[in-house]
Amino acid sequence: MLLLSPVSARISAARGPRVTLAIGAAIIALGYVVRIADSRDLWTIILGATVVATGTTFAYSALPTLILRAVPAGQTASANGVNVLMRTIGQATSSAVVAAVLVHHTSLVGGLPLPTLHGYLMAFGIAGVIALVASAAALTIPGDPAPDDTPRTPDRAEGARDEALEGA
């Protein structure tokens, strides 16, 4: 994540954070396709997990920018707090769904019920479909206004400087 966050920032600067979010979610879905295609060899498991982590980097870096652009300056802290809360709820819900799928798809191994590969593949499929839906949903987020349409409210320092110049 540390290595790819500058790449995500460049994409957000060039195309906007909603596109970065959509790309991130699509990359996550691609990572799950890799996991579904082959989860028997360690290198493909690592590759799939790396691709998912790459998509997560893009998505997580785009979200705060989207939030900061969507709320008034005085509400950015609470809006980012809601973002963290919603991510936590999403992670908990995802964990519960995966646990339910894996508990439903078990096989006895040495007398112990263990999740089957089929259960994991189903969980990857569910996550991949949700990532594709998230990618499509990200593209419905309103784009940034054109630079000429953006109302600019001067901050205190600029206002004070303008008043000082007017009095000179």
Side-chain angles (χ1 to χ4, degrees):
M1 288 185 153
L2 183 66
L3 297 175
L4 290 173
S5 58
V7 175
S8 176
R10 278 184 255 151
I11 294 170
S12 288
R15 300 286 183 196
R18 72 186 184 103
V19 172
T20 306
L21 178 59
I23 290 170
I27 291 171
I28 290 169
L30 177 64
Y32 286 119
V33 167
V34 170
R35 293 298 306 273
I36 291 169
D38 185 9
S39 282
R40 296 183 188 275
D41 294 323
L42 180 61
W43 74 271
T44 57
I45 293 169
I46 292 171
L47 176 65
T50 301
V51 173
V52 169
T54 299
T56 303
T57 299
F58 281 49
Y60 275 18
S61 66
L63 285 170
T65 304
L66 284 166
I67 291 166
L68 291 175
R69 291 181 179 180
V71 300
Q75 296 177 357
T76 57
S78 61
N80 274 308
V82 170
N83 174 39
V84 172
L85 174 66
M86 295 309 293
R87 286 191 343 217
T88 303
I89 290 170
Q91 290 168 347
T93 303
S94 176
S95 296
V97 169
V98 169
V101 169
L102 294 181
V103 164
H104 186 70
H105 295 277
T106 60
S107 179
L108 289 178
V109 177
L112 296 172
L114 296 176
T116 63
L117 177 59
H118 179 72
Y120 279 103
L121 296 178
M122 285 187 64
F124 298 151
I126 292 167
V129 167
I130 291 172
L132 286 176
V133 170
S135 181
L139 294 175
T140 68
I141 297 170
D144 296 327
D148 297 333
D149 296 342
T150 306
R152 180 147 161 77
T153 307
D155 61 20
R156 280 187 149 176
E158 284 182 86
R161 189 174 5 166
D162 290 345
E163 289 172 12
L165 291 175
E166 287 176 6

